[in-house]
Amino acid sequence: MKLSSACYASMLLFAGGLTGSATASEKSTYGWVETATFEPWGTEVKVKLDTGALTSSMQAEEIETFERDGVDWVRFTVEIEDEETDEVVSRSFERAVFRNLLVTGAGGEDHRSVVLMTICMGQTLHEEQFSLEDRDDMNYPVLLGRRTIQSLGEVDVTQTFLHDPNCDKDSQLIRHSDHDYDEDIGI
């Protein structure tokens, strides 16, 4: 028997109501587009949950690698439209390079630095891997890949903007080091 997406969504909502309120450790359902904030910056950004990507990617310009105390670091600028204020805002960051990524596609090969950044999704903070890429010409300044999605929960491809970012100093932080990735996501 086939269920329509509206019927399925209603069943999910009804079943969720039967279990009581969700705890921070339970996973939620997210739409294919959501808003999140980069922390501690607090700028609200539109994110696309991209099941076709393994690693999350974020808008970054003026990417410059350097060495600090024998460790590879990267300096970059993020210039995005704040979804809350509609203003274009910019901030420079310096992060240790978590790893280097080789992306191969129709346009050839691209080498990218991957850093750990913290985003707020719903009421939870997530420290995640982000490859740095100039995404000025893209619709979404941030893509969340399967590694990040696995820690969030399910994606309902018929929905958007199911969660508003609402984190504070007491919000749960899920650290990258706490992840136990399922081998089936393509690591």
Side-chain angles (χ1 to χ4, degrees):
M1 175 170 123
K2 278 187 153 179
L3 294 176
S4 72
S5 60
C7 180
Y8 178 70
S10 296
M11 287 175 48
L12 284 175
L13 289 172
F14 178 72
L18 293 177
T19 61
S21 63
T23 65
S25 63
E26 292 176 355
K27 293 185 179 178
S28 297
T29 299
Y30 288 82
W32 70 276
V33 178
E34 293 286 349
T35 52
T37 56
F38 279 112
E39 297 302 329
W41 189 14
T43 298
E44 192 170 300
V45 62
K46 197 180 301 185
V47 299
K48 177 182 176 186
L49 283 73
D50 184 357
T51 61
L54 180 59
T55 303
S56 296
S57 177
M58 64 179 284
Q59 165 61 19
E61 299 173 13
E62 302 170 11
I63 301 167
E64 174 189 348
T65 57
F66 62 98
E67 193 173 297
R68 179 180 286 163
D69 300 324
V71 177
D72 289 336
W73 279 66
V74 63
R75 179 179 300 117
F76 57 97
T77 301
V78 176
E79 183 179 275
I80 54 177
E81 181 178 333
D82 186 328
E83 291 296 315
E84 189 173 30
T85 65
D86 292 328
E87 292 181 37
V88 175
V89 294
S90 178
R91 181 168 177 187
S92 294
F93 293 90
E94 289 184 357
R95 294 287 191 271
V97 174
F98 182 77
R99 67 185 175 98
N100 290 297
L101 177 66
L102 174 63
V103 178
T104 306
E109 291 184 348
D110 188 17
H111 296 270
R112 299 183 193 160
S113 296
V114 176
V115 298
L116 295 179
M117 297 288 288
T118 301
I119 61 169
C120 170
M121 294 285 294
Q123 297 179 339
T124 306
L125 296 165
H126 299 268
E127 180 185 56
E128 296 293 335
Q129 295 182 43
F130 286 91
S131 71
L132 303 177
E133 175 188 18
D134 186 345
R135 301 183 53 80
D136 265 346
D137 58 343
M138 307 287 187
N139 289 332
Y140 303 97
V142 177
L143 293 181
L144 300 182
R146 293 189 304 274
R147 282 190 182 104
T148 302
I149 294 169
Q150 182 181 353
S151 69
L152 293 175
E154 302 293 323
V155 177
D156 182 342
V157 298
T158 67
Q159 299 291 316
T160 57
F161 306 111
L162 298 177
H163 298 270
D164 290 324
N166 189 23
C167 295
D168 60 26
K169 64 179 181 57
D170 297 323
S171 294
Q172 177 188 16
L173 170 62
I174 300 174
R175 295 195 178 279
H176 177 268
S177 59
D178 295 337
H179 289 300
D180 186 21
Y181 293 114
D182 186 310
E183 63 188 43
D184 293 333
I185 67 168
I187 295 177

